[in-house]
Amino acid sequence: MLERGLAVQELSINQILKGLENHHYVADRALGITLFLCLRLHKPLFLEGEAGVGKTEVAKVLAGLLGCRLIRLQCYEGLDISSAVYEWNYSYQMLEIRLLEATSENSKALGRPPDLFSPRFLLKRPLLEAIDHQEDPAPVLLIDELDRADEEFEAYLLELLSDFQISIPEMGTIRAPNPPIVIVTSNRTREVHDALKRRCLYHWIDYPSFEKELAIVRVRCPSASQKLASQAVRFVQELRKQDIFKVPGIAETLDWVKALVTLKQLSITQDTTDETLGLILKYQDDMALVRGEMVGKILKKTSVSPK
Amino acid sequence: MTNDEKILKNILRFCSVLRGQGIIVTTGQVLRLMEGLTHINLIRRLDVRSALGALLINQKSDIETFHKAFNDFWSSSFENKDIEFGKLLQPTTYSRKNKILERVTNESAFVENEDVSEIDLKSAHVRYSFQENLRQKDFAKLTSSELKQVKRLMRKFSWSPPVRKTRRKMATRRGRDLDFRQLFRASLKYEGWPILLTWKSRKVCYRPLVLICDVSGSMESYSRILLQFSYVLSRGWKHVEVFLFSTRLTRITHQLRHKDIDVALDHAVLAASDWGGGTRIGGALRDFNYKWSRRVLSGGAVVLIISDGWDRGNSECLATEMEHLRRSCHRLIWLNPLLGMPGYQPLTEGILAALPKIDFFLPVHNLVSLEKLASLLKGLDFSGHRNRTQRDERSMLDGVNYQRRQPAKERDFV
């Protein structure tokens, strides 16, 4: 959490890095600097990387660090304004008309037309919530997996991210008094348009090194012993170098270590690895390739005696 | 010059260096960079590098180029900047003269077919039958003058890509779902009674197309023309990815984006450094599946593999990779130029292994076959289920006029 009286703007790089550490996110300095620049320059952050390396985590941790709300928008094909920005509460509006009629307060008596397009009939969805907020500090808006949305949504988002305003035809334009901190993630199943990427600061999160991954495991699974953690990380690091279809990410490593802890294992053996392979590999072809012989080979290479 | 001005000048020079290396840096980014650097302690080199990286890079493929350029530019030999500067500024050009390029541009394969007698094209009748013959003639047997004609005809093709229904709705006159927003607004005219019904239905968009073309030695007489064909396709449609392979897989979509067709084809040929080599279809498809399938096959893509099936690699590997590919795309079409030869039977191990996984196995030896392919692609049905719709699609191949029925219930869509 932020110290009292310290504005988001005044955070230094070291304070951000310290904050990330306190929230159990192991980050390198480059990410810290990128986050720092995002906060200072009010620009969105575009995070790319392979699946399972912790892109969504960054947003959650940042929200925790700054002590603000996290608003999450999960993208999918066909995401449109009524699911992403706002929708009118039609049934409520129709009821209102009937009610006005029933209580014979028609427009002639009132002297003005009934106000059917006022904020109380507006259903706010994530993007509008992020713009039309009354909070301080501003919330963190996470736009997750933007590559799954289609180009029409990207075009809409482009406009939003440059001006931070939303125009509702019936009501007018709503501007953000305090623009939210935007983090966009992508899995690269499709190339996101250049214009959008250029509006943002870019950061690529790669698979971690041995030391970094070990630190992550130690921080996230404190109940695992040093020996188990280092053996598991060494195994996964070696597995990433093999020719498999879907290389395991950090999320898979963490799942595996937690499973081993649950199974009360103190170290890694051939049998347990073969049994729990489904936590690391998610494709049948990969599992068939790795199970048995390759597991033994890797365990031998990482100098653990296979039993 | 003050220190600040020096720093500013060097940063601007660095941006020009990046532009020379092929990384796009806009003026807006440079301005933002200046603003951003005021917050950073410029003494720490790594901090500056991270900041520059965050503000100037836009995609993963630029990261390595950026790091190399940064290290070269800000290295300890700072005073020798001017000497190296000119070299760094030069963009990478295809300056190497390649034997392959010469061979392919001379189209020496076609010189042997040179026809001695000239045809009088003045009368329309002769012209028509000449064109008819040309359309039927196999690509490998064309003379160089006929080749030019064929190329011209190919460029005039109008291709209509296959479509699919997306999950996005748009307002239509008649549809399945009610558009409540418009309905409500329309009802205001009638004091809140929803008399006018407004509908919405799913928007239709084009499917992406992926072309994987064999350019090994056995396909030599067809490669150049088929490369032209892929250029024509990629210019006409929006989402076309083109890959070439013989021993390795090379992506040439970017090279084919050039406006001038000859330059584009030259760049493409040079990019595929294993042109005319041996064939390893299985290995190339494996490469594609592992590296590219997740990035280019989204959105229900149609995959076209153009190869004659003479494979030197492992046919088991080919079968597994074809199965994998089949499951990841909407339709898998194999185009074989040898199918045009009368009496040809696909008997090689590779093709036999792959045949059960293919949705359509078609010839591609002359313009007529390309026309048939165009009409097939146009008529590929909306729905994803292979079993249900293959019957209808096969009937199109007989040249029967295909009347489009109402598409089947709008259920799962690939």
Side-chain angles (χ1 to χ4, degrees):
Chain A
M1 287 289 283
L2 278 182
E3 295 155 16
R4 207 176 286 268
L6 201 62
V8 165
Q9 284 289 90
E10 289 164 13
L11 281 177
S12 74
I13 301 178
N14 290 328
Q15 282 171 322
I16 293 181
L17 287 169
K18 190 107 199 326
L20 288 175
E21 209 186 299
N22 289 343
H23 280 81
H24 310 301
Y25 189 88
V26 178
D28 45 10
R29 201 177 164 85
L31 180 61
I33 292 178
T34 315
L35 283 172
F36 167 77
L37 284 173
C38 276
L39 296 175
R40 288 290 170 105
L41 299 176
H42 298 295
K43 289 285 170 196
L45 172 63
F46 193 87
L47 278 177
E48 263 193 347
E50 304 288 353
V53 295
K55 302 187 288 287
T56 314
E57 268 309 294
V58 171
K60 292 187 192 163
V61 163
L62 189 66
L65 197 162
L66 299 174
C68 59
R69 191 161 60 121
L70 174 71
I71 300 174
R72 183 176 180 162
L73 175 67
Q74 177 70 39
C75 296
Y76 53 89
E77 197 203 340
L79 181 65
D80 54 2
I81 292 192
S82 64
S83 331
V85 193
Y86 69 94
E87 197 173 6
W88 290 108
N89 199 342
Y90 311 112
S91 32
Y92 200 21
Q93 285 170 320
M94 287 192 172
L95 270 177
E96 178 78 4
I97 294 186
R98 296 281 88 80
L99 245 142
L100 286 177
E101 243 175 61
T103 58
S104 37
E105 259 183 51
N106 52 22
S107 46
K108 292 200 189 102
L110 269 178
R112 56 175 166 81
D115 196 3
L116 289 165
F117 293 107
S118 64
R120 65 189 173 114
F121 296 106
L122 191 64
L123 292 170
K124 287 196 202 171
R125 305 285 191 222
L127 288 183
L128 186 59
E129 263 185 62
I131 300 278
D132 192 23
H133 66 93
Q134 314 294 337
E135 302 156 22
D136 182 44
V140 170
L141 173 65
L142 169 65
I143 302 177
D144 217 3
E145 292 179 18
L146 183 62
D147 53 319
R148 295 220 282 165
D150 47 21
E151 288 171 359
E152 286 94 332
F153 183 70
E154 261 183 54
Y156 184 80
L157 205 58
L158 197 66
E159 205 195 313
L160 186 85
L161 290 182
S162 25
D163 303 327
F164 287 110
Q165 67 185 27
I166 289 178
S167 44
I168 300 177
E170 296 91 344
M171 262 174 67
T173 315
I174 302 181
R175 261 181 210 94
N178 207 356
I181 301 158
V182 184
I183 296 185
V184 183
T185 64
S186 162
N187 272 327
R188 287 209 312 165
T189 55
R190 181 176 74 78
E191 286 303 323
V192 172
H193 203 263
D194 258 356
L196 189 73
K197 278 197 198 170
R198 223 164 272 138
R199 290 247 184 291
C200 314
L201 300 186
Y202 182 85
H203 189 86
W204 170 268
I205 303 186
D206 212 349
Y207 289 121
S209 65
F210 172 74
E211 292 78 17
K212 187 172 174 205
E213 196 164 7
L214 184 60
I216 297 174
V217 171
R218 297 289 287 148
V219 152
R220 292 277 171 155
C221 305
S223 46
S225 69
Q226 168 76 15
K227 185 177 170 206
L228 182 68
S230 64
Q231 279 178 357
V233 171
R234 224 179 277 276
F235 183 85
V236 177
Q237 288 274 326
E238 199 54 46
L239 195 60
R240 287 205 185 114
K241 296 180 197 158
Q242 307 300 323
D243 187 20
I244 46 180
F245 182 63
K246 174 78 181 65
V247 168
I250 307 176
E252 278 83 40
T253 314
L254 287 172
D255 282 343
W256 192 38
V257 172
K258 285 186 190 147
L260 290 171
V261 166
T262 315
L263 293 171
K264 297 199 180 15
Q265 297 288 322
L266 294 171
S267 68
I268 297 185
T269 59
Q270 169 106 17
D271 293 330
T272 34
T273 314
D274 279 342
E275 281 160 17
T276 50
L277 211 54
L279 286 150
I280 322 176
L281 297 173
K282 309 288 176 180
Y283 280 86
Q284 182 52 34
D285 293 334
D286 288 344
M287 284 178 72
L289 184 71
V290 171
R291 184 169 269 149
E293 197 189 317
M294 195 182 276
V295 170
K297 235 192 296 184
I298 298 179
L299 285 177
K300 216 180 284 183
K301 190 167 177 188
T302 58
S303 63
V304 173
S305 55
K307 260 188 284 184
Chain B
M1 209 190 295
T2 66
N3 248 351
D4 283 347
E5 283 174 20
K6 239 191 194 171
I7 293 174
L8 176 68
K9 187 174 169 204
N10 281 327
I11 292 199
L12 288 173
R13 281 165 98 186
F14 180 62
C15 291
S16 331
V17 166
L18 284 182
R19 284 190 186 118
Q21 297 286 315
I23 300 178
I24 303 174
V25 176
T26 62
T27 317
Q29 280 174 299
V30 176
L31 289 173
R32 223 169 33 183
L33 177 65
M34 294 304 161
E35 198 197 330
L37 285 176
T38 56
H39 299 287
I40 302 268
N41 183 355
L42 291 174
I43 295 180
R44 298 182 123 193
R45 186 190 153 107
L46 288 177
D47 282 7
V48 173
R49 190 176 79 170
S50 311
L52 285 175
L55 288 157
L56 298 178
I57 303 178
N58 281 321
Q59 47 198 10
K60 188 203 172 202
S61 44
D62 290 339
I63 294 181
E64 279 200 36
T65 325
F66 168 80
H67 281 170
K68 188 166 179 303
F70 185 88
N71 290 332
D72 284 341
F73 191 79
W74 303 100
S75 64
S76 52
S77 58
F78 196 74
E79 274 67 60
N80 302 334
K81 225 15 86 211
D82 292 311
I83 306 167
E84 310 242 325
F85 191 52
K87 195 167 67 166
L88 285 172
L89 259 188
Q90 258 161 34
T92 44
T93 51
Y94 291 105
S95 53
R96 44 193 181 108
K97 266 284 174 194
N98 220 324
K99 265 195 282 182
I100 299 170
L101 183 59
E102 276 178 22
R103 192 175 81 204
V104 178
T105 44
N106 286 340
E107 289 151 353
S108 51
F110 296 97
V111 172
E112 293 142 26
N113 292 333
E114 198 57 62
D115 208 357
V116 178
S117 63
E118 283 186 6
I119 304 171
D120 180 11
L121 290 175
K122 291 213 179 76
S123 69
H125 170 74
V126 175
R127 218 182 356 225
Y128 173 75
S129 62
F130 174 72
Q131 219 175 49
E132 239 341 277
N133 286 338
L134 201 59
R135 285 174 65 236
Q136 304 274 355
K137 200 164 183 189
D138 196 314
F139 289 144
K141 303 202 180 86
L142 292 173
T143 65
S144 52
S145 58
E146 286 172 343
L147 180 66
K148 289 200 190 79
Q149 306 263 1
V150 164
K151 280 187 184 173
R152 228 192 355 254
L153 283 174
M154 205 190 282
R155 266 180 251 182
K156 286 200 200 141
F157 264 13
S158 63
W159 292 90
S160 196
V163 294
R164 69 177 179 107
K165 282 208 158 126
T166 63
R167 296 212 181 279
R168 180 168 286 277
K169 306 261 173 101
M170 58 185 237
T172 49
R173 278 181 217 273
R174 296 168 70 182
R176 199 175 71 144
D177 301 317
L178 284 169
D179 183 357
F180 278 104
R181 192 203 179 119
Q182 297 301 329
L183 184 80
F184 185 69
R185 295 194 69 136
S187 74
L188 290 178
K189 220 179 352 180
Y190 302 105
E191 288 178 12
W193 295 106
I195 294 179
L196 269 177
L197 293 181
T198 54
W199 301 93
K200 55 184 176 181
S201 66
R202 290 160 89 133
K203 210 168 176 182
V204 158
C205 80
Y206 292 135
R207 288 183 183 277
L209 187 76
V210 176
L211 265 164
I212 307 180
C213 201
D214 185 348
V215 295
S216 58
S218 54
M219 290 275 290
E220 198 172 332
S221 17
Y222 295 99
S223 300
R224 185 78 182 179
I225 273 256
L226 291 172
L227 197 58
Q228 168 114 3
F229 164 61
S230 50
Y231 175 84
V232 167
L233 274 186
S234 65
R235 295 297 288 180
W237 300 8
K238 213 165 155 201
H239 297 293
V240 179
E241 293 277 342
V242 185
F243 295 82
L244 299 181
F245 76 92
S246 79
T247 48
R248 283 181 349 199
L249 187 79
T250 324
R251 177 176 181 247
I252 56 160
T253 316
H254 186 70
Q255 280 84 345
L256 287 183
R257 290 236 171 96
H258 209 278
K259 271 190 278 205
D260 185 341
I261 182 172
D262 293 311
V263 175
L265 296 186
D266 287 346
H267 281 184
V269 170
L270 278 173
S273 52
D274 53 348
W275 186 285
T279 326
R280 283 208 169 76
I281 312 183
L285 286 183
R286 185 188 165 85
D287 233 0
F288 177 78
N289 280 333
Y290 275 43
K291 277 201 246 165
W292 293 101
S293 64
R294 271 172 290 207
R295 286 166 68 180
V296 309
L297 290 183
S298 60
V302 173
V303 176
L304 294 176
I305 302 181
I306 310 181
S307 170
D308 54 4
W310 287 102
D311 185 26
R312 276 203 217 134
N314 187 353
S315 63
E316 249 181 56
C317 169
L318 177 61
T320 6
E321 296 309 322
M322 288 290 285
E323 179 59 36
H324 202 149
L325 191 57
R326 178 179 176 273
R327 277 190 266 122
S328 326
C329 67
H330 176 69
R331 290 284 187 269
L332 183 56
I333 304 178
W334 187 296
L335 301 170
N336 191 342
L338 297 177
L339 270 180
M341 282 200 310
Y344 169 77
Q345 289 288 329
L347 292 173
T348 52
E349 230 183 87
I351 285 249
L352 281 178
L355 262 178
K357 325 274 183 200
I358 306 173
D359 292 311
F360 294 102
F361 189 47
L362 300 172
V364 69
H365 57 294
N366 57 17
L367 285 176
V368 171
S369 55
L370 285 181
E371 283 164 16
K372 285 209 178 125
L373 175 66
S375 63
L376 171 70
L377 286 177
K378 195 166 163 184
L380 278 181
D381 208 322
F382 284 156
S383 123
H385 275 290
R386 289 185 149 99
N387 302 330
R388 250 195 299 147
T389 53
Q390 256 180 342
R391 283 193 313 267
D392 309 319
E393 284 166 0
R394 285 210 187 284
S395 71
M396 282 190 288
L397 295 173
D398 305 328
V400 172
N401 217 352
Y402 178 70
Q403 296 281 343
R404 167 122 9 128
R405 297 178 288 118
Q406 283 298 314
K409 283 216 192 94
E410 299 134 7
R411 262 175 285 155
D412 15 20
F413 293 82
V414 173

